[in-house]
């Protein structure tokens, strides 16, 4: 087996104070998550509702589960009872549904807004303009059962470190803008989630507060 404990500690050693680790455990079995749990890891990221449900049932209660992938609106109800944070919200429709399901469960669900900055074609994430428009519209202020805690993005999957850095700095500067304009008095809005296995060292230089690392800890995923 991959040396999960050693890998976990190597990643943690790379993170400055104030940067937290989401251990991305999708497609890995519960024994492997348990190995990381035993070393003190408490935040895990999953991207499939069914898989997450099984792991949530099998593993200790003090784990904070993050839903890190694209979330379909019709799946929100299944994770709403226990999800700690939904990391990739990219529409008002999804935000409304999270609020509705959180309300039904009598809780507040933390979310991040996902930005689309990378050059790659992907359907997901808000452009900076779309994110500005969503926040300017102000409807989110009325959603009492969601708490917008910050921004999330994935840089382009390229070797060019400078390109990755530019994209992450664009996200970091945008965070500063949004924090000042919309969340100046909101202490909960403080997260910048960027950085994965191949680029988390750059992310910590670009003001990330929450990296999401899978492969470097658990090894390659077998789909
Ligand atoms: C899978 C995934 C990760 C982790 O990717 P690794 O390259 O394995 O570290 C991080 N963020 C998101 C949104 C993912 O889907």
């Amino acid at each position: 087996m991959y040396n999960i404990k050693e890998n976990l500690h190597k990643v943690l050693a790379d993170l400055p104070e104030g940067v937290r680790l989401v251990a991305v455990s999708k497609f890995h079995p519960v024994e492997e998550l348990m190995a990381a749990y035993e070393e003190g890891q408490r935040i895990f990221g999953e991207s499939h509702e069914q898989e997450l449900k099984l792991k949530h049932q099998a593993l200790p209660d003090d784990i904070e589960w993050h839903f890190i992938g694209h979330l379909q609106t019709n799946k929100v109800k299944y994770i709403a009872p226990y999800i700690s944070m939904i990391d990739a919200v990219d529409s008002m429709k999804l935000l409304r549904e999270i609020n509705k399901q959180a309300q039904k469960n009598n809780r507040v669900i933390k979310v991040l807004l996902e930005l689309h900055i990378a050059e790659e074609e992907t359907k997901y994430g808000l452009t900076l303009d779309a994110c500005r428009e969503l926040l300017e519209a102000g409807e989110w202020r009325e959603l009492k059962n969601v708490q917008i805690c910050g921004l999330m993005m994935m840089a382009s999957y390229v070797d060019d470190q400078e390109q990755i850095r530019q994209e992450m700095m664009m996200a970091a500067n945008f965070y500063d803008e949004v924090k000042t304009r919309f969340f100046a008095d909101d202490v909960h809005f403080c997260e910048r989630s960027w950085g994965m296995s191949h680029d988390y060292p750059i992310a910590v230089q670009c003001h990330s507060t929450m990296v999401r690392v899978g492969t470097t800890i658990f090894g390659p995923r077998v789909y």
Side-chain angles (χ1 to χ4, degrees):
M1 190 164 88
Y2 230 69
N3 195 336
I4 291 167
K5 301 194 172 191
E6 194 179 307
N7 298 338
L8 175 71
H9 287 297
K10 271 192 205 145
V11 172
L12 289 172
D14 286 339
L15 302 181
E17 218 177 294
V19 181
R20 286 181 302 151
L21 170 66
V22 179
V24 176
S25 48
K26 60 192 183 196
F27 296 96
H28 290 280
V30 290
E31 299 75 52
E32 297 189 6
L33 281 73
M34 205 54 208
Y37 180 90
E38 281 166 2
E39 297 303 299
Q41 181 64 27
R42 290 295 180 272
I43 311 177
F44 290 86
E46 291 282 337
S47 57
H48 291 90
E49 176 268 314
Q50 288 282 327
E51 182 182 351
L52 173 53
K53 180 181 170 186
L54 295 174
K55 288 175 175 173
H56 169 249
Q57 285 166 353
L59 288 160
D61 277 344
D62 62 343
I63 289 178
E64 287 177 39
W65 295 101
H66 284 221
F67 197 95
I68 59 165
H70 178 68
L71 178 59
Q72 288 170 280
T73 315
N74 62 356
K75 298 283 169 62
V76 174
K77 58 177 172 290
Y78 302 119
I79 64 171
Y82 64 87
I83 198 75
S84 173
M85 186 180 273
I86 297 175
D87 288 20
V89 173
D90 65 355
S91 73
M92 202 52 220
K93 180 174 171 234
L94 180 57
L95 199 61
R96 279 188 209 113
E97 179 64 14
I98 295 168
N99 185 64
K100 181 176 153 193
Q101 298 301 334
Q103 202 169 15
K104 280 192 183 167
N105 286 280
N106 226 332
R107 56 193 298 260
V108 174
I109 297 179
K110 294 184 271 187
V111 305
L112 304 176
L113 298 178
E114 179 181 10
L115 301 176
H116 176 75
I117 288 177
E119 276 174 11
E120 288 152 4
E121 284 294 320
T122 126
K123 295 191 292 261
Y124 305 126
L126 296 155
T127 62
L128 302 190
D129 277 337
C131 188
R132 280 188 194 99
E133 280 169 29
L134 185 152
L135 292 169
E136 281 163 5
E139 184 192 338
W140 58 275
R141 292 185 195 276
E142 281 139 47
L143 306 180
K144 301 301 179 202
N145 294 74
V146 290
Q147 183 144 64
I148 301 176
C149 292
L151 304 176
M152 174 271 196
M153 62 84 82
M154 279 185 274
S156 295
Y157 196 83
V158 293
D159 289 330
D160 183 351
Q161 310 261 307
E162 251 339 284
Q163 183 181 345
I164 294 171
R165 191 181 303 277
Q166 277 174 22
E167 292 176 1
M168 287 176 173
M169 280 315 296
M170 194 179 286
N173 292 331
F174 185 71
Y175 171 91
D176 291 341
E177 174 193 323
V178 160
K179 175 75 183 165
T180 310
R181 285 185 62 193
F182 302 99
F183 297 97
D185 305 325
D186 183 349
V187 292
H188 301 289
F189 189 91
C190 60
E191 301 293 357
R192 279 149 285 189
S193 183
W194 34 91
M196 303 165 51
S197 287
H198 69 286
D199 59 13
Y200 77 83
I202 306 175
V204 298
Q205 295 170 358
C206 297
H207 315 303
S208 177
T209 60
M210 197 184 264
V211 297
R212 304 176 310 271
V213 179
T215 310
T216 301
I217 299 168
F218 298 106
R221 290 178 283 274
V222 182
Y223 294 104

